[in-house]
Amino acid sequence: MLMMPPKLTIAKVFSEMKAIAHSAGKESQKAKKEKIQKLLVASRGEEAKFIVRMLQAKLRIGIQIPTLLQALAYAFTLTKPGKSCGPAAVTDRRHGQAKLSAAELEPQMIGMEAAVKQAFSEMPNFDKLVAALMEGRDGSSLLQVCSISVGVPVKPMLAKPSKGIAEVGERLSGKRFTGEWKYDGERAQIHVLSKDVIQIYSRNSENMTEKYPDVIEVVKQSLAEDVQSCIIDSELVAFDQVNRKILPFQVLTTRGRKNITVEDIKVNVCLFAFDCMLVNGQPLVKEPLELRREKLWSILSPAEGKVTFAVYRNFNEINEEEIQAFLDESIAGSCEGLMLKTLTENATYEPSKRSLNWLKLKKDYLEGMADSIDVVPIGAYYGKGKRSGAYGAYLLAIYDQENEEFQTVCKAGTGFSDEDLTTHYSFFKNHQRPCAETNYNVNDKLKPDVWLEPCQVWEIRAADLSISPVHTSAFGVKADGKGIGLRFPRFLRIRDDKTPEESTGSEQIVEMFEAQASVSGTAAVDDDF
DNA sequence: CTTGTCTGCCCC
DNA sequence: ATTCTGC
DNA sequence: GCAGAATGGGCAGACAAG
């Protein structure tokens, strides 16, 4: 009988996980497989399940970073680290001579949680945060060590989606606010450590410096002379330097990411700056937007087609017509819509928080302004996690009259209520087909778990249309060997009043694609894709 | 060498 | 990215 | 309203397979 491998320890699992993460190059996949195999063989009980989940970076235990921060805050309020090591080195403030009551501890815990969360948002690094806590720091003393500084990306401030102009009015009434065009590119947090050391970070705090040497150059030239350091918030957008025109997001994504040299860059970008969190060592996150914007304009000078500021308009009061007009202008200007931000009141930079301060208003949130499409579910995929036992997503198609076939435009996995998911599953499990209908035009890569009879029409919504390497609608019309797919698709409702043959046609898909401001006006659209 | 498949603390 | 749901 | 967990299109790179 084979010997059972020794029990797994936390230290062992941690070092194996690190080894897997760092494994690269030829035959690395084999090496990773072997390590995983060893871990699984040595695991007992439920350990295997959690090892697999760890590898997938999906622990699904109801705890993510915010909860972890709360736990840290509570732990360092209830207990204090001592000078020596080991379990005895901890003072439990709930017991002993100097014990505190729950009523005394609670406000401390709440205050500590705020401090820990603020510290982590300005300095998102657990090593540094825990080190500071172990020193016994709390409250303002924690912020002194863990505060915004150049070279450490802060969690960018996010915006809350708004359902319509009426909702915007509710949130912002009585406050001065500004609307800014929302550009369709890549978030870029620019850190100027000195005139010669400039770094760029993504929305998720990934270092993109290597990807944008051209931006580094132009920022260096655009900085005012008296700027030694700063942090700028901006959007990088693909830009046609010749025709002075914003290009679609899809063009931006074709830029190389590694070993980039300025000479062989094929996709140029323009930087649209909109905020500034630090200048010359001085944090500005607690200052109101109006002042931060002033600072931003004073440290950066525009360079035609390379660096500029997000177009904005200030409002002293709600005016729905003017907001609508400004939104329309932003769409015509190849933007996604508007960002709406308070200027003075509640106008600080709140890293990572989708606070009320920033709202986003996109045309696809608005009834009537969005591309609404009628599609036919022709396949389904088994759900995972909380969607086990039902379909988690559906393959959706439109009907092409000319070729008399169903062509895919997207999958959909969002927009369903729990009830929708149940209803759809019980309906479609009686309309399964053993294989694809002969008039289904589906790429092999999208092969669903089950095929469905074309017997229902759904209304879905999307933000945009894009050239697709896998979807087959309007195949070859806008680009050779490619169809058209939908960006950010979501389920809206069942259309009982339509038959599958009455779903959106491929000509309409082409029209919607061409109507997009960022692709219109170019004769040779094909060349861009 | 080409081609296919899968991953990414990916971007949106 | 969007969306829904439990708390 | 927050936190968490479902799910989308599509790209360059990395690696495997042939």
Side-chain angles (χ1 to χ4, degrees):
Chain A
M1 186 162 155
L2 289 172
M3 287 293 286
M4 189 75 181
K7 271 190 185 174
L8 290 173
T9 61
I10 291 185
K12 170 76 176 167
V13 173
F14 182 67
S15 71
E16 286 296 294
M17 288 281 175
K18 274 208 145 171
I20 290 167
H22 291 141
S23 166
K26 201 171 186 295
E27 305 225 303
S28 59
Q29 215 169 74
K30 207 166 121 196
K32 288 182 203 174
K33 277 182 193 164
E34 280 167 11
K35 286 191 184 304
I36 293 169
Q37 193 176 2
K38 272 191 200 166
L39 284 171
L40 292 179
V41 167
S43 61
R44 308 175 184 192
E46 292 209 296
E47 288 173 352
K49 176 163 92 183
F50 288 99
I51 284 169
V52 170
R53 287 190 184 180
M54 266 191 261
L55 290 162
Q56 292 177 309
K58 282 181 199 165
L59 223 39
R60 296 200 299 111
I61 54 173
I63 293 172
Q64 291 185 23
I65 285 176
T67 308
L68 195 53
L69 293 171
Q70 187 182 53
L72 276 175
Y74 288 3
F76 279 90
T77 308
L78 298 176
T79 62
K80 292 291 173 189
K83 298 228 164 29
S84 54
C85 295
V90 171
T91 314
D92 191 330
R93 301 172 75 212
R94 294 165 297 182
H95 302 103
Q97 289 186 321
K99 76 169 181 185
L100 297 172
S101 69
E104 289 168 305
L105 284 166
E106 201 193 336
Q108 292 186 27
M109 288 160 75
I110 292 170
M112 187 65 154
E113 185 183 345
V116 168
K117 287 188 172 173
Q118 176 73 23
F120 188 79
S121 67
E122 292 196 31
M123 185 159 285
N125 180 322
F126 278 108
D127 285 344
K128 291 183 179 174
L129 177 67
V130 173
L133 289 167
M134 288 301 284
E135 283 175 17
R137 290 179 180 273
D138 57 9
S140 59
S141 140
L142 186 61
L143 265 299
Q144 281 168 15
V145 188
C146 300
S147 66
I148 186 165
S149 47
V150 285
V152 184
V154 295
K155 300 285 175 191
M157 187 158 171
L158 304 173
K160 204 183 104 58
S162 59
K163 293 211 172 14
I165 295 182
E167 187 196 337
V168 169
E170 281 174 36
R171 290 278 159 78
L172 296 172
S173 74
K175 301 190 179 83
R176 295 184 57 242
F177 66 97
T178 194
E180 281 169 0
W181 286 12
K182 186 180 189 303
Y183 295 84
D184 192 7
E186 187 170 17
R187 189 83 174 261
Q189 192 176 101
I190 299 174
H191 287 238
V192 177
L193 284 76
S194 73
K195 279 276 183 350
D196 295 315
V197 184
I198 300 178
Q199 302 168 346
I200 304 185
Y201 292 92
S202 75
R203 174 195 153 112
N204 287 324
S205 304
E206 292 294 315
N207 194 324
M208 301 194 290
T209 308
E210 193 188 354
K211 181 177 172 183
Y212 289 110
D214 48 342
V215 176
I216 304 287
E217 271 309 304
V218 77
V219 166
K220 187 188 284 191
Q221 288 158 20
S222 297
L223 280 173
E225 264 184 36
D226 60 346
V227 179
Q228 284 87 48
S229 69
C230 64
I231 302 176
I232 290 169
D233 204 353
S234 64
E235 191 82 8
L236 285 170
V237 183
F239 200 83
D240 180 339
Q241 308 287 345
V242 178
N243 299 305
R244 300 258 174 253
K245 203 167 64 82
I246 285 175
L247 295 171
F249 174 76
Q250 208 174 4
V251 174
L252 178 68
T253 63
T254 65
R255 262 184 81 116
R257 295 169 196 169
K258 297 198 162 174
N259 302 316
I260 306 302
T261 53
V262 175
E263 304 81 61
D264 50 36
I265 287 173
K266 292 186 186 70
V267 176
N268 287 301
V269 294
C270 182
L271 178 100
F272 293 86
F274 54 79
D275 213 320
C276 172
M277 295 83 96
L278 179 145
V279 172
N280 289 340
Q282 191 195 359
L284 298 176
V285 286
K286 298 291 173 205
E287 303 292 342
L289 173 59
E290 193 157 45
L291 187 142
R292 298 201 306 275
R293 184 189 273 163
E294 259 178 49
K295 282 276 186 188
L296 174 67
W297 282 66
S298 75
I299 62 170
L300 202 63
S301 49
E304 180 80 44
K306 306 258 184 176
V307 179
T308 188
F309 302 101
V311 170
Y312 72 84
R313 183 179 298 170
N314 290 351
F315 296 82
N316 287 319
E317 57 192 284
I318 296 293
N319 180 323
E320 293 196 7
E321 289 74 31
E322 279 185 28
I323 295 174
Q324 180 68 56
F326 196 43
L327 173 62
D328 294 341
E329 286 169 33
S330 80
I331 304 296
S334 302
C335 282
E336 295 183 289
L338 298 178
M339 296 292 289
L340 296 152
K341 311 173 178 177
T342 49
L343 275 170
T344 46
E345 196 182 324
N346 260 326
T348 55
Y349 193 95
E350 300 287 338
S352 87
K353 268 189 228 155
R354 283 184 156 88
S355 67
L356 295 182
N357 301 8
W358 287 11
L359 295 170
K360 55 179 168 182
L361 185 61
K362 293 170 64 164
K363 74 171 196 309
D364 54 298
Y365 302 158
L366 274 57
E367 197 73 33
M369 232 187 132
D371 289 321
S372 171
I373 297 156
D374 298 319
V375 297
V376 183
I378 62 167
Y381 307 84
Y382 296 124
K384 294 175 180 155
K386 64 182 178 187
R387 292 202 185 163
S388 304
Y391 300 135
Y394 290 82
L395 180 62
L396 307 178
I398 54 150
Y399 188 69
D400 182 88
Q401 304 279 353
E402 193 186 323
N403 297 296
E404 297 180 330
E405 64 178 19
F406 289 95
Q407 305 173 335
T408 68
V409 282
C410 66
K411 293 195 285 178
T414 192
F416 308 108
S417 67
D418 288 356
E419 194 193 339
D420 289 336
L421 287 166
T422 320
T423 315
H424 292 155
Y425 180 65
S426 47
F427 176 79
F428 281 111
K429 75 172 187 250
N430 301 318
H431 292 87
Q432 290 184 18
R433 285 296 162 95
C435 57
E437 304 272 346
T438 51
N439 63 346
Y440 283 4
N441 185 352
V442 179
N443 187 301
D444 286 344
K445 293 190 184 78
L446 292 168
K447 194 175 176 300
D449 294 328
V450 298
W451 292 100
L452 304 175
E453 187 187 325
C455 54
Q456 201 171 70
V457 177
W458 287 359
E459 182 179 358
I460 61 167
R461 182 173 288 172
D464 271 315
L465 296 90
S466 58
I467 297 296
S468 174
V470 291
H471 290 292
T472 50
S473 76
F475 195 81
V477 177
K478 300 313 295 182
D480 281 347
K482 294 186 176 184
I484 293 177
L486 304 184
R487 191 182 184 197
F488 310 146
R490 56 263 200 195
F491 170 82
L492 289 184
R493 61 184 71 85
I494 296 172
R495 290 288 303 254
D496 277 327
D497 57 323
K498 284 203 169 190
T499 68
E501 287 75 20
E502 290 170 334
S503 62
T504 301
S506 68
E507 334 74 47
Q508 288 167 274
I509 294 288
V510 173
E511 281 169 26
M512 288 184 206
F513 179 84
E514 288 174 344
Q516 299 177 130
S518 59
V519 295
S520 64
T522 314
V525 171
D526 282 32
D527 299 349
D528 291 341
F529 294 101

